[in-house]
Amino acid sequence: MSDFELQRIPLPTGVELDVAIAGSPANPAIILLHGFPESHRTWRHQIPALARDHYVIAPDQRGFARSSKPEGVENYAPARPVADLLALADHIGVGRFTLVGHDWGGAIAWMAALQNPDRISRLVIVNAPHPLVFQRSLFDDAEQRAASQYIRAFRNPDIDRHIAALGVEGFFDTTFVRHADPALLAPERAAYIDEWSQPGAMTAMLNWYRASAIQVPAIDENPERPAWLDAPFPPITQPTLVIWGMQDKALLPSQLDGLDALVTDLTIVRVEDGGHFVPWDKPEAVTAAMREWLAARGG
């Protein structure tokens, strides 16, 4: 964990982010976005490997770890972290860059790439569904709808009281630990507890789910289908690598179906024995896929 420098960076979007920075600024820039319930440490295995020939920037996104945690659900709508991303690149002096995202970081990466093809040259997505594919699956795929019911739970204010009663250590031991290899999680437990124990952290992290416009119907619900699900959707034009841990129990492999119609230059790498947290669950496979794909595209 000593292979990078952690800087505190104030942004014009009104937040201060802790940002891991590694490598030479003379090299091509690559920005890594983590998801729930993590931090830049999601990428602890990839940062030193990528820094050999890239300028690596990995922020703790708003609401996570010791980065700012503005009050109010509206401050976690996807447009806010997208704005943070671009403001961070501007602050560091990065024009075009490769963008990598896992989980919620991947959701932000999909959106940022769609909206900013002039800034984002390449896209790497790790177990994070394309917004159209995901929303369609929540209406049309009974298995994915069932797997996504945790989102409804996270949006319920009662979960804040539940976590407060359990304590973050109890939440880790009774909930999070069930979603990854306990042997891999055990050495990281203290770091998670420290990050989640920061004032307002648990509510801020859950607010990412509450601020999202994604509809998650109940299992037995039959809501009106949004018209945009069957309308034309703008394509991702950047070269895109999607890495998927195929044992993910929350975001099922069906999220890969139909991606080729939405991404004009798509490469998919399936990590058959990887779970949702594949960047550190199967780090060698993820790092190798990223480095090989980047090298094949000139960096």
Side-chain angles (χ1 to χ4, degrees):
M1 296 300 291
S2 60
D3 297 301
F4 56 81
E5 177 186 2
L6 196 62
Q7 297 184 14
R8 184 77 170 182
I9 296 179
L11 298 177
T13 54
V15 296
E16 295 183 0
L17 304 184
D18 282 350
V19 184
I21 298 178
S24 170
N27 288 331
I30 186 166
I31 300 181
L32 312 176
L33 300 179
H34 68 85
F36 178 93
E38 301 204 281
S39 68
H40 68 276
R41 301 182 69 261
T42 295
W43 310 107
R44 56 190 175 275
H45 301 286
Q46 287 76 42
I47 290 173
L50 292 171
R52 296 203 295 267
D53 44 24
H54 288 82
Y55 186 39
V56 182
I57 302 150
D60 291 343
Q61 298 204 76
R62 64 167 61 203
F64 292 89
R66 287 175 169 77
S67 289
S68 295
K69 301 167 186 65
E71 292 186 6
V73 170
E74 68 279 3
N75 284 306
Y76 299 89
R80 301 298 180 94
V82 169
D84 293 341
L85 165 69
L86 298 177
L88 176 61
D90 290 344
H91 177 92
I92 294 175
V94 168
R96 285 175 64 77
F97 55 92
T98 296
L99 181 59
V100 182
H102 172 252
D103 186 77
W104 264 113
I108 299 308
W110 283 118
M111 181 174 172
L114 280 165
Q115 296 176 344
N116 301 277
D118 58 322
R119 298 294 301 273
I120 297 164
S121 58
R122 284 176 288 266
L123 185 63
V124 180
I125 297 293
V126 186
N127 283 71
H130 184 284
L132 178 62
V133 175
F134 188 43
Q135 186 63 91
R136 277 181 179 168
S137 72
L138 292 171
F139 277 77
D140 302 338
D141 182 336
E143 286 188 75
Q144 184 59 67
R145 185 187 293 197
S148 296
Q149 292 302 299
Y150 71 94
I151 297 176
R152 294 175 61 88
F154 283 176
R155 288 172 168 173
N156 188 330
D158 289 342
I159 196 171
D160 297 81
R161 292 187 286 274
H162 174 67
I163 294 172
L166 272 179
V168 292
E169 294 188 10
F171 182 68
F172 182 95
D173 293 335
T174 62
T175 305
F176 182 58
V177 77
R178 294 183 299 180
H179 295 279
D181 183 345
L184 293 175
L185 274 176
E188 305 300 320
R189 184 177 185 275
Y192 280 110
I193 298 304
D194 173 68
E195 291 174 353
W196 298 357
S197 297
Q198 299 307 307
M202 291 306 306
T203 296
M205 290 191 291
L206 293 169
N207 279 345
W208 281 63
Y209 291 92
R210 295 161 178 161
S212 169
I214 289 289
Q215 295 183 49
V216 184
I219 290 176
D220 58 353
E221 188 179 357
N222 187 26
E224 183 178 353
R225 184 181 180 85
W228 67 273
L229 292 188
D230 303 304
F233 199 89
I236 293 283
T237 57
Q238 299 93 329
T240 300
L241 169 65
V242 173
I243 302 171
W244 208 270
M246 299 297 284
Q247 301 305 311
D248 193 333
K249 305 305 184 203
L251 299 168
L252 306 182
S254 59
Q255 295 304 317
L256 301 175
D257 298 343
L259 268 184
D260 54 347
L262 296 163
V263 182
T264 57
D265 181 354
L266 175 65
T267 300
I268 298 177
V269 173
R270 295 170 173 84
V271 182
E272 296 295 340
D273 57 350
H276 178 70
F277 295 97
V278 71
W280 49 261
D281 178 13
K282 300 295 174 185
E284 296 86 359
V286 172
T287 302
M290 291 172 65
R291 286 190 56 79
E292 290 169 13
W293 184 82
L294 289 166
R297 281 152 184 79

